Amino acid sequence: MEYITLNNGIKMPMLGYGVYQVTKDECKRCVLDALETGYRLIDTAQSYFNEEEVGQALAESGIPRRDIFLTTKVWVEHYGYEETKKSVYISLEKLKTEYLDLMLLHQPFADYYGAYRALEDLYTEGVIRAIGVSNFYPDRLVDIANFARIVPMVNQVETHPLNQQTEAMKWMKKYDVQIEAWTPFGEGRGGLFENDVLTAIGKKYNKTAAQVMLRWNLQRGVVVLPKSTHKERMEQNFNVFDFSLTEEDMQKIAAMDTQTSAFFSHYDPNMVEWFAKMVEERKQQHDSSKEKKNW
């Protein structure tokens, strides 16, 4: 495993297992498979609705808590100082842990300043070992890095060969914020798994296009979170530390960049309206006021 050191001195694995869109029925088994494979960074979120299953897997794994780097994220409906603090304690309860290694704000909308202040205080109190943001474009990241008390340690953003985030990475480097890739495969959009450039590079090393994508991001200093519900794929994704891409390989992949999201733009007002509607619908479907609170 390769590690990076965050701007507060905390070490973080560069390869983790993400549970986005992993169903509650499959989640515990998948996390146990990932841990058995060797993953020690597990990434979930309040909005994935599988924190409890992640917690069950961690408890049953027998792996000491100190050996696992556990990340979750505050969902938008819990933004604001007091609501964020409450939601963090609910996440702790679901995950069966007394602390979090990393807590992120999931989206750059609503009262993210109040939410971030809550994370700052929980970090100061030792409840969270590192704090950060997710989906914050350079303008929002620079905003919070300059006006918050604590500079974020991590920014988790869409990062894959078709959307390489080169400009965003410049700003993250300036403020010493670690970039972390959600969907490092771009969910296969644009034919990434069959791409001629990636498959040709892979053949040189007896690796798949997926493994090439992971290695490419790792060599750029990007933390990656591949997701699969199949153990054999988990093992393949984990097997990326025994080869290195050449500078020529890296340049060929760099030329694939479209500088465009494969999913949506947070700058698009239509998308913001859609997002607000989706948040409200989720709030009604998953009424957090009815959740058990033992904190």
Side-chain angles (χ1 to χ4, degrees), residues 27 70 168:
C27 189
L70 180 59

Side-chain angles (χ1 to χ4, degrees), residues 131-180:
I131 59 176
V133 293
S134 179
N135 297 304
F136 274 52
Y137 287 14
D139 60 327
R140 296 290 176 99
L141 181 69
V142 172
D143 171 30
I144 204 161
N146 276 282
F147 293 105
R149 189 171 82 248
I150 300 171
V151 174
M153 289 106 199
V154 172
N155 187 14
Q156 187 182 120
V157 294
E158 174 195 347
T159 314
H160 50 79
L162 299 181
N163 188 23
Q164 300 184 13
Q165 300 285 6
T166 52
E167 181 65 21
M169 287 178 71
K170 292 177 185 177
W171 289 101
M172 286 187 236
K173 184 176 181 180
K174 179 176 181 178
Y175 287 92
D176 197 16
V177 177
Q178 175 62 43
I179 182 172
E180 183 177 31

Side-chain angles (χ1 to χ4, degrees), residues 83-147:
E83 282 302 311
T84 292
K85 279 193 113 174
K86 291 176 183 177
S87 78
V88 170
Y89 282 106
I90 291 172
S91 288
L92 288 168
E93 182 177 327
K94 289 180 176 180
L95 290 163
K96 303 182 187 300
T97 184
E98 295 180 354
Y99 69 93
L100 293 164
D101 295 282
L102 176 63
M103 191 73 171
L104 305 176
L105 299 186
H106 207 151
Q107 300 287 348
F109 303 129
D111 184 14
Y112 66 81
Y113 255 98
Y116 196 75
R117 284 195 297 272
L119 296 191
E120 289 178 318
D121 285 352
L122 290 167
Y123 171 75
T124 302
E125 295 165 13
V127 177
I128 306 170
R129 297 179 69 228
I131 59 176
V133 293
S134 179
N135 297 304
F136 274 52
Y137 287 14
D139 60 327
R140 296 290 176 99
L141 181 69
V142 172
D143 171 30
I144 204 161
N146 276 282
F147 293 105

Side-chain angles (χ1 to χ4, degrees), residues 24-235:
K24 293 174 74 68
D25 291 340
E26 289 189 303
C27 189
K28 185 174 79 167
R29 189 266 303 168
C30 286
V31 174
L32 285 170
D33 284 348
L35 292 170
E36 185 176 343
T37 298
Y39 292 85
R40 291 297 180 267
L41 164 56
I42 304 297
D43 179 277
T44 184
Q46 293 172 354
S47 70
Y48 300 169
F49 304 112
N50 56 20
E51 286 179 314
E52 288 177 304
E53 289 71 26
V54 170
Q56 291 167 8
L58 297 182
E60 292 181 19
S61 71
I63 298 171
R65 175 66 183 86
R66 64 179 177 274
D67 293 340
I68 295 173
F69 192 100
L70 180 59
T71 302
T72 190
K73 311 173 194 75
V74 181
W75 188 234
V76 179
E77 70 175 90
H78 301 308
Y79 279 15
Y81 184 85
E82 293 297 338
E83 282 302 311
T84 292
K85 279 193 113 174
K86 291 176 183 177
S87 78
V88 170
Y89 282 106
I90 291 172
S91 288
L92 288 168
E93 182 177 327
K94 289 180 176 180
L95 290 163
K96 303 182 187 300
T97 184
E98 295 180 354
Y99 69 93
L100 293 164
D101 295 282
L102 176 63
M103 191 73 171
L104 305 176
L105 299 186
H106 207 151
Q107 300 287 348
F109 303 129
D111 184 14
Y112 66 81
Y113 255 98
Y116 196 75
R117 284 195 297 272
L119 296 191
E120 289 178 318
D121 285 352
L122 290 167
Y123 171 75
T124 302
E125 295 165 13
V127 177
I128 306 170
R129 297 179 69 228
I131 59 176
V133 293
S134 179
N135 297 304
F136 274 52
Y137 287 14
D139 60 327
R140 296 290 176 99
L141 181 69
V142 172
D143 171 30
I144 204 161
N146 276 282
F147 293 105
R149 189 171 82 248
I150 300 171
V151 174
M153 289 106 199
V154 172
N155 187 14
Q156 187 182 120
V157 294
E158 174 195 347
T159 314
H160 50 79
L162 299 181
N163 188 23
Q164 300 184 13
Q165 300 285 6
T166 52
E167 181 65 21
M169 287 178 71
K170 292 177 185 177
W171 289 101
M172 286 187 236
K173 184 176 181 180
K174 179 176 181 178
Y175 287 92
D176 197 16
V177 177
Q178 175 62 43
I179 182 172
E180 183 177 31
W182 61 262
T183 190
F185 303 139
E187 293 187 358
R189 299 191 182 196
L192 277 174
F193 292 127
E194 298 79 34
N195 180 271
D196 290 342
V197 172
L198 299 174
T199 54
I201 292 172
K203 285 179 181 179
K204 294 196 303 179
Y205 307 101
N206 195 29
K207 297 292 183 179
T208 66
Q211 289 170 314
V212 169
M213 284 188 269
L214 293 176
R215 187 68 222 170
W216 165 76
N217 252 334
L218 289 170
Q219 288 183 212
R220 298 167 74 224
V222 179
V223 174
V224 289
L225 296 169
K227 184 213 81 175
S228 176
T229 57
H230 305 287
K231 192 174 182 183
E232 61 272 18
R233 290 277 178 79
M234 295 180 195
E235 292 169 347

